[in-house]
């Protein structure tokens, strides 16, 4: 039961937030008798005593000059035992809180009330903030309240409770309680009938509301659990003549060793980082040369998988050509540090890649589970299609990795600007890595332009320019940055704007058609 009639005109306030005590009963009874004159008034002293005895931390008040002027009563429940169709008396144990379960997962708001003489001090908001803090510190999944809708009695003859709630949500109607609760980040779960039979103002209806604790984590093992801060590395790779596979792998290991030495969790290499090996083949026929290059892809993937194990770091192996079934693909391998691996094919092929090499686009888009969370990989041109990151974000992606190769600055800026937009649109981190330098003896890959970067959403919890790290243009180097995944969770609930949450799904949606993949079945070890 929640009644938040607002708040005094006193000259000298001395407000203090604290837990309720037995000695506060007379003040509490006085407030409740004023606030609930038609609903049997205050609890008995026995009920109040039981509430404090069963869950003292959950009973909070605000005092002014040693007098209680507002209070909030709560308990913890295993919400699955009660579900959404409970009554007030049932879930509160008739006001005695005999249903309190310290092992439960939900903080249930039993009551909140403010002395009618105290107006415009926002005391209800302070109490809700205190409850939210309690929910977070006790590592509870959510806070649930059954909110009265006392304004409904004025509209009951011309609209249903559901219609009334929708009108309040749309700001067409102001309800003394529901409007306040919606402003405190609560979301409607359902309308309850016969919640408090004596509540004639609400016609015995109530609105079940929920506030989710975005910091809540399922119980995890003491070691090997989810990280909230992830250390990522991005290699800005120097294209240089390399005469053998061993030389390529030596250069790869140098960067893996460097980032792992800083306790990195994951490292990203650029698109076609192994292309110096293509200089060994006939440049008069680029299509044949790139297919010969594909012979190295399997051995490189195996070597990088071994490096991931040896250096205890996840490796996103840029991209490499794969020739299979008389079709040439551009594939990026994810080599996890637990020994497993997976891959993402480039879906969109540029006109140049098709004309010179005859590349074919893949048909499958994946979200990858890793020990740092859910990640997505889009190879270069793919990031210029906003539908793909949106589909990934809808499946829980928090980090998007973009290995790319561009030859000119304008080509690079297309990739960069789109990558930045994807970070804002989908409220995720985007890590992009490219190559620099020249390869005079490799047709169609002779010049490179890159400025690798790590982008963030644009809000207060992130860098002011939404750039976590940025390389010097056209210089071989490594970026390393710490990315806080909890900031992403908070942004999606409390951000200044909420691009992902505020989508008008009643007007538009992005749908994956799921046609049969054209490439060979994906393998995982």
């Amino acid at each position: 039961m929640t009644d938040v009639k607002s708040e005094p005109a006193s000259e000298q306030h001395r407000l203090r937030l604290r837990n309720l005590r037995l000695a506060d009963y007379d003040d509490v009874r006085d407030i409740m008798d004023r606030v609930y004159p038609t609903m049997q008034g205050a609890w008995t002293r026995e009920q109040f005593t039981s509430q404090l005895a069963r869950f003292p931390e959950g009973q909070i008040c605000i005092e002014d000059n040693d007098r209680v002027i507002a209070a909030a009563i709560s308990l913890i429940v295993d919400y699955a035992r009660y579900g959404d169709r409970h009554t007030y008396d049932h879930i509160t144990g008739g006001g005695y809180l005999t249903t309190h379960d310290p092992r439960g997962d939900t903080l249930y708001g039993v009551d909140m009330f403010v002395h009618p003489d105290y107006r415009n001090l926002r005391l209800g908001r302070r109490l809700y903030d205190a409850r939210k803090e309690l929910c977070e510190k006790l590592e509870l999944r959510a806070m649930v309240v059954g909110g009265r809708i006392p304004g409904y009695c004025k509209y009951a003859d011309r609209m249903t409770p559901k219609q009334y709630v929708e009108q309040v949500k749309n700001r067409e109607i102001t309800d003394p309680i529901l409007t306040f609760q919606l402003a405190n980040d609560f979301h409607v779960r359902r309308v309850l009938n016969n919640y408090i039979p004596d509540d004639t103002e609400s016609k015995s209806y109530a609105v079940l509301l929920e506030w989710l604790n975005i910091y809540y984590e399922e119980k995890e093992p003491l070691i090997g659990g989810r990280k909230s801060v992830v250390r990522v590395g991005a290699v800005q790779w120097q294209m240089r003549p390399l005469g053998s596979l061993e030389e390529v792998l030596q250069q790869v290991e140098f960067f893996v060793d460097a980032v792992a030495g800083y306790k990195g969790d994951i490292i990203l290499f650029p698109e076609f980082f192994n292309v110096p090996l293509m200089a060994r083949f006939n440049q008069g026929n680029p299509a044949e040369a790139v297919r010969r290059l594909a012979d190295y892809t399997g051995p490189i993937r195996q070597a990088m998988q071994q490096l991931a194990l040896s250096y205890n770091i996840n490796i996103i192996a840029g991209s490499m050509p794969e020739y299979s079934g008389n079709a040439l693909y551009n594939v990026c391998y994810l080599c996890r540090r637990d020994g497993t691996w997976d891959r993402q094919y480039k879906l969109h092929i540029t006109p140049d890649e098709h004309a010179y090499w005859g590349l074919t686009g893949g048909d499958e888009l994946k979200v990858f589970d890793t020990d740092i969370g859910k990640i997505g990989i889009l190879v270069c041109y793919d990031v210029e299609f906003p539908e793909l990151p949106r589909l990934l974000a809808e499946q829980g992606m928090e980090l998007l990795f973009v290995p790319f190769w561009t030859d000119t600055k304008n080509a690079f800026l297309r990739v960069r600007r789109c990558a930045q937009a994807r970070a804002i649109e989908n409220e995720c981190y985007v890590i992009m890595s490219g190559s620099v330098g020249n390869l005079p003896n490799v047709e169609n890959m002779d010049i490179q332009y890159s400025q690798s970067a790590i982008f963030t959403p644009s809000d207060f919890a992130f860098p002011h320019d939404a750039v976590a790290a940025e390389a010097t243009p056209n210089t071989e180097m490594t970026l390393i940055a710490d990315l806080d995944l909890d900031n992403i969770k908070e942004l999606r609930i409390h951000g200044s704007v909420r691009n992902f949450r505020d989508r008008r799904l009643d007007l538009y949606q992005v749908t994956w058609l799921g046609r049969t993949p054209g490439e060979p079945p994906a393998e995982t070890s």
Side-chain angles (χ1 to χ4, degrees):
M1 179 170 61
T2 303
D3 195 311
V4 189
K5 292 186 178 180
S6 277
E7 306 136 274
S10 176
E11 298 81 11
Q12 197 71 16
H13 295 299
R14 298 183 64 184
L15 302 182
R16 185 164 76 100
L17 183 75
R18 63 170 174 82
N19 289 111
L20 281 164
R21 300 186 287 255
L22 285 174
D24 297 321
Y25 177 70
D26 289 341
D27 288 342
V28 169
R29 181 181 60 189
D30 177 59
I31 301 171
M32 294 188 71
D33 284 341
R34 290 171 180 256
V35 171
Y36 303 124
T38 64
M39 294 175 56
Q40 301 181 358
W43 294 305
T44 64
R45 187 179 294 273
E46 290 74 17
Q47 288 172 312
F48 185 70
T49 301
S50 179
Q51 292 165 4
L52 298 188
R54 294 182 181 278
F55 185 32
E57 301 89 345
Q59 321 319 329
I60 305 165
C61 72
I62 298 173
E63 67 172 30
D64 183 20
N65 292 304
D66 300 323
R67 172 194 175 202
V68 173
I69 57 170
I73 309 300
S74 309
L75 77 156
I76 297 173
V77 295
D78 178 2
Y79 194 74
R81 292 184 58 191
Y82 300 92
D84 286 349
R85 296 184 180 275
H86 57 267
T87 66
Y88 180 75
D89 272 349
H90 182 210
I91 203 166
T92 66
Y96 288 89
L97 307 196
T98 54
T99 51
H100 174 67
D101 181 0
R103 298 167 298 179
D105 63 354
T106 300
L107 186 71
Y108 195 89
V110 176
D111 206 345
M112 183 183 292
F113 42 83
V114 177
H115 196 291
D117 292 344
Y118 282 70
R119 302 186 184 279
N120 305 319
L121 292 186
R122 299 179 181 269
L123 300 185
R125 182 176 294 276
R126 294 194 194 197
L127 290 171
Y128 266 132
D129 287 345
R131 272 179 169 173
K132 292 173 184 177
E133 182 181 2
L134 182 66
C135 192
E136 291 172 358
K137 289 184 175 178
L138 292 177
E139 299 181 352
L140 300 174
R141 180 192 63 83
M143 177 173 24
V144 173
V145 299
R148 299 175 58 235
I149 44 174
Y152 178 59
C153 60
K154 300 176 184 177
Y155 300 87
D157 60 341
R158 56 185 185 273
M159 63 179 68
T160 65
K162 181 179 178 181
Q163 292 170 330
Y164 177 79
V165 170
E166 287 300 316
Q167 292 288 302
V168 175
K169 288 170 63 177
N170 293 334
R171 311 264 193 228
E172 297 292 336
I173 297 174
T174 299
D175 184 90
I177 297 174
L178 180 57
T179 298
F180 174 79
Q181 290 167 325
L182 293 174
N184 276 275
D185 300 319
F186 281 87
H187 303 284
V188 175
R189 284 181 65 104
R190 65 174 297 112
V191 174
L192 299 174
N193 186 20
N194 206 34
Y195 182 66
I196 303 176
D198 294 336
D199 185 5
T200 56
E201 287 182 309
S202 304
K203 300 294 183 181
S204 300
Y205 290 103
V207 179
L208 191 66
L209 300 121
E210 183 177 56
W211 174 86
L212 293 173
N213 174 14
I214 63 173
Y215 302 109
Y216 172 74
E217 298 288 347
E218 297 286 349
K219 299 300 182 184
E220 293 185 350
L222 295 178
I223 58 174
R226 172 190 176 273
K227 286 190 170 186
S228 60
V229 177
V230 175
R231 181 161 293 176
V232 301
V235 176
Q236 185 151 285
W237 175 269
Q238 173 77 45
M239 288 294 193
R240 53 171 60 84
L242 295 170
S244 67
L245 174 60
E246 290 69 27
E247 289 182 81
V248 172
L249 294 178
Q250 184 180 45
Q251 195 68 13
V252 167
E253 185 169 7
F254 165 79
F255 285 110
V256 171
D257 185 16
V259 175
Y262 287 103
K263 300 189 183 304
D265 293 297
I266 192 165
I267 182 172
L268 171 66
F269 286 87
E271 182 182 23
F272 283 128
F273 68 95
N274 66 331
V275 85
L277 293 172
M278 201 160 67
R280 308 178 69 185
F281 309 119
N282 178 18
Q283 298 305 300
N285 187 339
E288 179 186 349
V290 76
R291 282 161 175 76
R292 295 287 302 277
L293 179 65
D295 292 339
Y296 290 103
T297 295
I300 292 176
R301 194 269 302 161
Q302 293 173 7
M304 296 184 90
Q305 185 180 359
Q306 186 59 44
L307 290 174
L309 283 167
S310 300
Y311 286 94
N312 189 29
I313 187 171
N314 298 293
I315 300 175
I316 298 177
S319 81
M320 296 176 279
E322 178 185 284
Y323 188 59
S324 177
N326 294 320
L328 182 70
Y329 301 96
N330 186 353
V331 61
C332 178
Y333 290 99
L334 166 64
C335 300
R336 300 181 184 90
R337 54 185 163 191
D338 65 0
T340 62
W341 61 274
D342 212 325
R343 59 188 167 189
Q344 174 65 58
Y345 288 91
K346 188 173 184 177
L347 304 185
H348 296 88
I349 303 304
T350 66
D352 185 77
E353 290 171 326
H354 180 73
Y356 270 85
W357 295 336
L359 273 171
T360 298
D363 293 315
E364 189 174 6
L365 182 66
K366 298 181 180 181
V367 169
F368 301 98
D369 287 313
T370 72
D371 58 9
I372 62 171
K374 293 183 180 294
I375 71 169
I377 300 171
L378 294 177
V379 180
C380 196
Y381 193 30
D382 282 345
V383 81
E384 298 180 32
F385 297 84
E387 299 89 348
L388 299 182
R390 178 52 48 86
L391 289 165
L392 294 172
E394 287 177 342
Q395 298 176 66
M397 175 198 69
E398 296 173 301
L399 299 113
L400 175 62
F401 292 87
V402 182
F404 71 95
W405 169 80
T406 50
D407 53 353
T408 62
K409 187 172 183 179
N410 61 333
F412 158 73
L413 287 176
R414 284 197 302 269
V415 178
R416 177 189 172 98
R417 299 287 190 256
C418 289
Q420 288 182 288
R422 304 300 87 91
I424 293 171
E425 293 166 352
N426 299 290
E427 295 170 337
C428 65
Y429 294 109
V430 178
I431 303 92
M432 58 183 293
S433 172
S435 54
V436 302
N438 303 299
L439 283 174
N441 297 319
V442 177
E443 183 71 19
N444 198 41
M445 291 287 288
D446 45 351
I447 61 174
Q448 330 281 322
Y449 187 99
S450 173
Q451 185 180 17
S452 301
I454 300 172
F455 301 121
T456 75
S458 186
D459 213 325
F460 295 112
F462 305 95
H464 70 94
D465 57 358
V467 179
E470 193 170 38
T472 303
N474 291 335
T475 301
E476 185 173 52
M477 61 183 296
T478 303
L479 298 178
I480 299 177
D482 287 340
L483 305 179
D484 192 332
L485 300 182
D486 284 340
N487 283 343
I488 295 292
K489 294 172 68 175
E490 181 152 359
L491 173 70
R492 292 183 176 181
I493 301 297
H494 302 301
S496 300
V497 295
R498 301 157 197 177
N499 298 73
F500 192 75
R501 178 173 157 188
D502 289 343
R503 291 168 297 149
R504 289 290 305 275
L505 298 180
D506 58 323
L507 299 179
Y508 57 85
Q509 294 186 39
V510 178
T511 304
W512 179 258
L513 298 180
R515 66 190 179 98
T516 303
E519 77 277 15
E523 302 175 33
T524 56
S525 62

